[in-house]
């Protein structure tokens, strides 16, 4: 009997490393070229067992691309992807500084995961629907959203397109088919299947992509999504972004089997694990899944293996629960550095051009920030007018909301 | 006009909407090939095709989420939750997603889902086939909440609900599917010969937010919804008092003019619902009437409701408000 009087024990998992411990990950046994690419249109779930238990990589540790999964992107496309990633990282840094100086209420960076939304969105068609979490804002850069508009949202000022109604980073961008971000984790995963099935019903060449975290994959919505996608053959790309951490909860608490991709197999979904810090591999796997979905062959389940380099959010302090340098030991390295080195290797980029790019984007972000605060800052406003509390709750304002609106306005409606 | 029971009138509404709007799609547990455990979707798959009317996995959360996503992408889904008691796996999707999407996206996205669900007791369904959880939804901004009571209003309200661009939770009193219910479990009347069962075969609408004055009187206002409307009708007859009987039909937004007008006339009020008393929608009605009609009230408002207990099986008639309790409440309002 233990000291607290209980007779048995519960096996509670733990994170691999805690503060004060030396983090060290085994190097990956998988190399670029290890896996062939099945035909996306005829591939069945059982054909993907190796892909689910392995890891699709294109870039090796020296930044050299090889193997059947090399998407063969042009240098221009690669530079474009790199630019979006650098843009997102510098944008995030600036927004984080704004949060730290009281100019934003809250912020969430994509640090270390920039490739995920950017490579995957670039692999889609412009008519495809994006159903993100808060860790995929980068998709908006690919879809052409104006940075000033994004900052106005994060401030919640009078130009915020969602009128100060949600916390920062909960973007909505209909023009780019980027569907409103919701705080309850996982809900978008099952909804995305519905979006995709509406495309099927209408007979349109539209695919829906969605993401969920390793932590949220323990929610019912994850399982609803896989099951409905399988049963109804939905044209959807279901990504589990395994960045190891859900705030302080390690991925070991989300599943008892240690990995995520293979969980799609018993649902009958072709499942692939991909190096989430390898821009080329991500692009290629997503393009494969898009081709599969668009052909009518159905959904693909993808584990995007990565590491959350930053804190969960501006309210989080990861040094309380993991070694501070754990991210530097991650076998996948840094997605920006890896694509940069690849471009340099093929003679299409240089350290100098990278510095120039960073400087250009830095001033782009500063300019956008200055422009955005003209529409109001967090400390001083102006904020959206108070009566926006009552609009768009329903299509038309019902009488009881009108009464409450009038009460709030002191009878001066 | 044709005599229809509530199953037939709901089926007719669904059939009309499928005919009229190619974006309408119906799914849920057992609703496709079989036509629903209560037969509400009978024949619709055969007529409209299995791409428009189909069965789903047993997954209320998945059904709600899928409907929500389809609604975002231009469809107008009508889904069935087989019993209102089973709606709770879908609660997050309804409360945090369907209800909030228009507001949270600044009007960029919306999802016009109609979620039909049989509710209420009187079928010996025990804890989990009898509950009437309307107040779990009336407390959520962004939802419209409808509760039909007759074949006529079921069809007109359902067509309006499907046409609404807001999400609607549509409660159907399962005890009244095949006949009105007057509170005596040993009598099983049918809808034949009932005036509210004379239903146009074509389309018509009952606007959401509009109550029905089921009886008119002068001494008391009785407010109810769902199956209890018919029990109230019996109770009013038994009581011997002259009463307005208001069938609210839509709980959110409720019909202020009809309710206030009636209370100002009668000065007395009884509110009746099957759901438990504490935080039931009767509490909202009572508070609102007090705020708006205090100086017209001649006696305290009385609520007659289900008890604050789980819904019982063999003793359900002791749980549900019956004509005796309601008639006593009406008499109580006349004492002062």
């Amino acid at each position: 009997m233990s000291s607290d009087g209980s007779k048995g024990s519960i096996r509670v998992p733990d994170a691999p490393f805690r503060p004060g411990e030396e983090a060290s990950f085994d190097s990956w046994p998988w190399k670029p070229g290890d896996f062939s690419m099945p035909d996306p249109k005829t591939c069945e779930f059982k054909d993907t067992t190796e892909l689910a238990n392995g890891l699709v990589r294109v870039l090796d540790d020296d930044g050299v691309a090889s193997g059947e999964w090399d998407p063969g992107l042009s240098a221009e496309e690669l530079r474009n992807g790199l630019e979006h990633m650098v843009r997102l990282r510098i944008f995030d840094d600036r927004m984080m500084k704004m949060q730290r100086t009281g100019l934003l209420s809250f912020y969430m960076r994509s640090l270390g995961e920039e490739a995920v939304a950017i490579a995957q969105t670039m692999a889609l068609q412009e008519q495809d629907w994006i159903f993100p979490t808060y860790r995929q804002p980068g998709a908006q850069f690919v879809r052409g959203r104006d940075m000033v508009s994004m900052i106005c949202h994060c401030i919640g000022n009078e130009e915020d397109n969602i009128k100060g109604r949600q916390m920062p980073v909960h973007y909505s961008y209909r023009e780019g088919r980027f569907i409103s971000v919701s705080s309850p984790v996982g809900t978008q995963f099952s909804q995305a299947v519905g979006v995709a099935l509406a495309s099927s019903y209408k007979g349109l060449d539209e695919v829906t992509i969605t993401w969920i975290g390793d932590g949220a994959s323990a929610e019912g919505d994850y399982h609803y999504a896989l099951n409905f996608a399988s049963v109804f053959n939905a044209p959807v790309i279901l990504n589990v972004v395994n960045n190891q951490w859900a705030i302080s909860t390690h991925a070991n608490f989300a599943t008892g089997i240690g990995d995520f991709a293979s969980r799609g197999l018993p649902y009958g979904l072709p499942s692939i694990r991909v190096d989430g810090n390898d821009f080329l591999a991500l692009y290629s796997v997503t393009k494969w899944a898009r081709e599969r979905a668009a052909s009518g062959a159905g959904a693909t389940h993808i584990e995007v293996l990565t590491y959350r380099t930053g804190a969960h959010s501006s309210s989080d302090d990861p040094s309380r629960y993991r070694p501070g340098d754990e991210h530097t030991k991650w076998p996948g390295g840094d997605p920006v550095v890896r694509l940069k080195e690849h471009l340099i290797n093929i003679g299409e980029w240089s350290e100098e051009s990278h510095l120039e790019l960073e400087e250009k984007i830095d001033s782009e972000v500063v300019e956008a920030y200055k422009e955005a605060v003209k529409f109001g800052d967090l400390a001083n406003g102006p904020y959206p007018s108070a009566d926006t509390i009552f609009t768009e709750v329903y299509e038309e304002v019902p009488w009881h909301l009108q009464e409450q609106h009038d009460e709030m306005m002191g009878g001066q409606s | 006009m044709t005599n229809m029971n509530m199953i037939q009138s709901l089926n007719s509404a669904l059939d009309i909407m499928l005919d009229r709007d190619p974006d309408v799609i119906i799914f849920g547990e057992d609703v496709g090939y079989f036509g629903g455990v209560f037969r509400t979707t009978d024949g619709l798959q055969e007529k409209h095709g299995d791409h428009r009317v189909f069965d789903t996995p047993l997954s209320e959360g998945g059904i709600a989420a899928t409907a929500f996503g389809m609604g975002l992408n231009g469809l107008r889904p009508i889904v069935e939750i087989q019993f209102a008691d089973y709606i709770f796996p879908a609660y997050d999707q309804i409360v945090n997603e369907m209800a909030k999407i228009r507001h949270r996206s600044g009007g960029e996205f919306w999802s016009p889902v109609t979620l039909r669900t049989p509710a209420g007791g009187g079928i010996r369904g025990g804890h989990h086939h009898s509950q009437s959880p309307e107040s779990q939804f009336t407390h959520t901004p962004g939802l419209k909440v409808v509760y039909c009571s007759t074949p006529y209003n079921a069809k007109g309200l359902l067509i309006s609900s499907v046409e609404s661009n807001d999400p609607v939770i549509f409660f159907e009193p399962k005890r009244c599917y095949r006949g009105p219910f007057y509170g005596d479990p040993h009598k099983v009347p049918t809808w034949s010969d009932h005036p509210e069962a004379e239903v146009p075969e074509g389309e018509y609408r009952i606007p959401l937010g509009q109550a029905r004055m089921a009886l008119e009187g002068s001494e008391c206002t009785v407010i109810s919804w769902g199956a209890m409307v018919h029990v109230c009708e019996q109770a009013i007859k038994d009581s011997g008092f002259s009463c307005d009987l208001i069938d609210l039909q839509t709980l959110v937004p409720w019909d202020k003019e009809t309710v206030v007008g009636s209370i100002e006339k009668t000065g007395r009020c009884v509110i009746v619902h099957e759901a438990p008393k504490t935080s039931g929608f009767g509490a909202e009605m009572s508070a609102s009437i007090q705020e708006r009609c205090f100086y017209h009230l001649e006696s305290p408002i009385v609520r007659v409701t289900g008890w604050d207990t789980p819904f019982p099986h063999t003793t359900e008639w002791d749980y549900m408000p019956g004509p005796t309790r309601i008639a006593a409440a009406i008499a109580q309002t006349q004492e002062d």
Side-chain angles (χ1 to χ4, degrees), chain B residues 20-42:
Chain B
R20 222 193 60 198
D21 184 350
D23 293 333
V24 167
I25 185 165
I26 294 176
F27 54 95
E29 297 165 15
D30 299 304
V31 307
Y33 185 86
F34 180 51
V37 294
F38 292 104
R39 319 302 304 141
T40 312
T41 52
D42 188 27

Side-chain angles (χ1 to χ4, degrees), chain A residues 180 182 201-202 394 399 403, chain B residues 22 73 97 104 143 254 292:
Chain A
S180 162
S182 186
Y201 177 81
K202 291 187 275 188
Y394 297 91
W399 68 265
E403 274 193 3
Chain B
N73 196 0
E97 303 294 319
R104 85 171 197 229
L143 300 177
W254 57 278
R292 290 161 202 283

Side-chain angles (χ1 to χ4, degrees), chain B residues 137-208:
Chain B
F137 298 93
T138 56
H139 199 59
T140 299
L143 300 177
K144 289 181 175 169
V145 180
V146 175
Y147 214 134
C148 65
S149 60
T150 71
Y152 181 83
N153 74 7
K155 181 172 174 179
L157 288 166
L158 184 54
I159 289 175
S160 292
S161 298
V162 176
E163 288 177 338
S164 168
N165 288 326
D166 298 310
V168 179
I169 312 296
F170 189 92
F171 289 101
E172 300 167 3
K174 63 178 93 73
R175 173 71 201 209
C176 296
Y177 272 150
R178 295 181 185 280
F181 171 57
Y182 298 110
D184 181 347
H186 303 296
K187 289 184 182 161
V188 187
T190 68
W191 284 110
S192 61
D193 303 327
H194 194 288
E196 292 296 323
E198 289 303 310
V199 178
E201 288 179 47
E203 70 180 71
Y204 62 94
R205 290 162 190 78
I206 295 173
L208 304 188

Side-chain angles (χ1 to χ4, degrees), chain A residues 288-358:
Chain A
W288 184 93
R290 203 236 170 244
E291 190 178 347
R292 173 176 173 76
S295 75
T300 303
H301 178 246
I302 299 169
E303 176 184 350
V304 179
L305 185 63
T306 184
Y307 186 90
R308 195 196 75 210
T309 301
H312 165 71
S313 74
S314 56
S315 306
D316 177 36
D317 174 10
S319 71
R320 300 285 297 273
Y321 53 80
R322 69 184 190 187
D325 64 348
E326 191 177 70
H327 67 277
T328 64
K329 313 288 177 65
W330 181 247
D334 180 284
V336 177
V337 171
R338 287 177 67 191
L339 185 57
K340 181 183 95 173
E341 287 178 349
H342 173 64
L343 271 161
I344 292 173
N345 281 347
I346 60 174
E348 293 288 350
W349 200 241
S350 66
E351 292 291 353
E352 295 72 38
S353 43
H354 198 80
L355 275 175
E356 282 169 25
L357 175 68
E358 287 178 336

Side-chain angles (χ1 to χ4, degrees), chain A residues 161 165 172-174 180 182 187 190-191 194-195 199 201-202 221 224 228 389 391-392 394-395 399 403, chain B residues 22 52 59 65-66 68-70 73 92-93 97 102-104 106 108-109 142-143 165-166 254 256 292:
Chain A
N161 69 315
R165 289 167 179 164
S172 180
Y173 177 46
R174 185 174 183 98
S180 162
S182 186
T187 51
S190 47
Q191 296 162 2
V195 175
S199 300
Y201 177 81
K202 291 187 275 188
D221 282 300
Y224 305 155
F228 276 66
I389 292 172
T391 53
E392 292 153 345
Y394 297 91
E395 186 180 34
W399 68 265
E403 274 193 3
Chain B
R52 300 195 66 195
S59 172
T66 303
F68 176 81
M70 287 176 163
N73 196 0
D92 185 41
Q93 287 287 344
E97 303 294 319
R102 185 189 293 278
H103 194 69
R104 85 171 197 229
E108 286 195 345
F109 295 95
L143 300 177
N165 288 326
D166 298 310
W254 57 278
K256 180 180 57 167
R292 290 161 202 283

Side-chain angles (χ1 to χ4, degrees), chain A residues 132-152:
Chain A
T133 77
Y134 41 70
R135 207 79 70 192
Q136 285 83 40
Q140 296 170 101
F141 290 134
V142 181
R143 290 282 168 96
R145 185 164 186 186
D146 173 38
M147 196 182 284
V148 176
S149 154
M150 289 171 65
I151 300 173
C152 285

